[in-house]
Amino acid sequence: NPHLEKMKEDILYHFALGTGTHDFPALFGDVKFVCVGGSPSRMKAFIAYIAEELGLGSPDSDYPNICVGTDRYAMYKVGPVLSVSHGMGIPSISIMLHELIKLLYHAKCSNVTIIRIGTSGGIGLEPGSVVITRQSVDATFKPQFEQVVLGKTVIRSTNLDEQLAKELMQCSKEMNQFNTVIGNTMCTLDFYEGQGRLDGAICLYNEEEKLQYLKEAYDSGVRNIEMESSVFAAMCNLSGVKGK
C-alpha cells in the first residue's frame, strides 16, 4: 500500500500496536513463520507446543500476550514463530490479516510463511483427518474470493502455494500420525445454512437436499468446509506472502 509511506505513524488498532510506540524490527524482525487460528487459548497452547518442539521453552513456561492492550486478538511469539488468533469468519480474519501483513512489512521481515490451522467440517473423510488446502473455493465451488470495494465487485484468486502443500504432505508422511489429504477447502459465509446444517434457527431445505449438495462439493474436489480460507488465500496472494 503506497499510502503507508505517507503516514507519520501506522497504528494497528486491533493489535494495540503502533510504529510510534513499538520497535517493530526489534520485536518481530526475526519472524519466519506465522501460524494463525481462531481461538486465543488455542494459539497460546500452540506456541507452548512449538517452543518445546524447538527447544526454546518448557511446558510450564509463560508466554505473554503481545496484544494484551486489546481483547480483539491475541498474539504470542517464540523464536522465529508468531502465533496469532483471528476470530471467526471472513470479516474477523480479514481485519487481522491487514494488520499482520503491515506488522511484517514494518518489521522488515522476509521469506515469511503463514499457515492457518484450525478445525473444519470434513467431507468424505474419517474424523481427525488433516486437510492441506490446494485452493479455497466459495459455496458454488469456484476458486475465488468476491469482495465489494468502493461499490464495485472485485474477484480475487484463492489458489495457494503448491510446493508448500507438497512439503507439508511429506512432513505428514514422515510423522505418520494423521490421515492427511490434499484437497480443496470450501469457505462459507455462515456456520449453519451456508454449510448445509439442519440444526440452525432457520432451515428451508431437507436432509436429502443437504446430502446432494455435499456430494456435489465432494465431486468437485472439496474435502473440508470452514469460514476463513478464501480471504486468507486472496490476501496472501496479493501481498506476495507464501500461505497455506
Side-chain angles (χ1 to χ4, degrees):
N1 177 4
H3 299 287
L4 296 181
E5 298 300 327
K6 303 174 184 177
M7 299 169 58
K8 293 182 179 179
E9 178 182 5
D10 189 5
I11 299 174
L12 310 185
Y13 301 100
H14 306 87
F15 285 167
L17 299 171
T19 56
T21 53
H22 297 80
D23 186 340
F24 281 57
L27 289 170
F28 307 107
D30 61 340
V31 169
K32 292 296 180 183
F33 299 94
V34 183
C35 293
V36 303
S39 112
S41 61
R42 196 186 310 154
M43 299 322 291
K44 184 172 185 179
F46 175 78
I47 206 67
Y49 167 78
I50 287 296
E52 187 173 9
E53 287 292 304
L54 296 179
L56 298 175
S58 60
D60 56 350
S61 297
D62 184 42
Y63 302 94
N65 178 11
I66 297 171
C67 298
V68 69
T70 177
D71 60 0
R72 298 295 184 186
Y73 304 105
M75 180 186 296
Y76 306 94
K77 182 180 183 298
V78 63
V81 181
L82 200 61
S83 177
V84 191
S85 70
H86 59 59
M88 187 181 295
I90 287 173
S92 184
I93 191 174
S94 172
I95 294 168
M96 187 281 292
L97 286 172
H98 272 282
E99 300 192 9
L100 172 64
I101 292 167
K102 291 201 296 178
L103 180 153
L104 297 173
Y105 169 75
H106 291 309
K108 304 185 187 317
C109 296
S110 61
N111 300 319
V112 177
T113 298
I114 306 179
I115 297 177
R116 193 189 95 74
I117 54 178
T119 56
S120 61
I123 300 181
L125 298 174
E126 61 184 75
S129 298
V130 173
V131 177
I132 300 171
T133 305
R134 175 185 292 110
Q135 60 182 195
S136 173
V137 300
D138 63 18
T140 64
F141 319 138
K142 295 177 182 177
Q144 63 183 37
F145 172 61
E146 183 176 311
Q147 184 171 4
V148 177
V149 180
L150 300 182
K152 298 178 181 179
T153 299
V154 177
I155 304 295
R156 291 169 172 166
S157 169
T158 53
N159 291 323
L160 287 162
D161 190 275
E162 186 175 345
Q163 182 58 35
L164 181 55
K166 293 178 181 178
E167 291 173 4
L168 291 173
M169 176 59 83
Q170 182 59 37
C171 287
S172 178
K173 290 179 180 179
E174 293 172 4
M175 292 173 63
N176 195 30
Q177 294 183 18
F178 310 98
N179 174 46
T180 305
V181 301
I182 295 177
N184 293 344
T185 295
M186 184 165 71
C187 183
T188 67
L189 302 179
D190 165 56
F191 182 79
Y192 287 99
E193 289 182 284
Q195 298 187 13
R197 297 179 191 274
L198 301 172
D199 59 345
I202 299 169
C203 182
L204 303 178
Y205 47 83
N206 58 40
E207 184 172 9
E208 183 180 350
E209 291 170 320
K210 165 195 171 172
L211 293 176
Q212 178 59 34
Y213 176 66
L214 294 180
K215 181 181 183 303
E216 292 172 2
Y218 184 88
D219 290 344
S220 76
V222 172
R223 293 297 177 268
N224 64 329
I225 310 174
E226 48 81 87
M227 297 187 292
E228 294 88 17
S229 61
S230 62
V231 71
F232 173 83
M235 291 188 68
C236 284
N237 288 337
L238 285 167
S239 61
V241 176
K242 186 187 295 185
K244 179 57 65 180

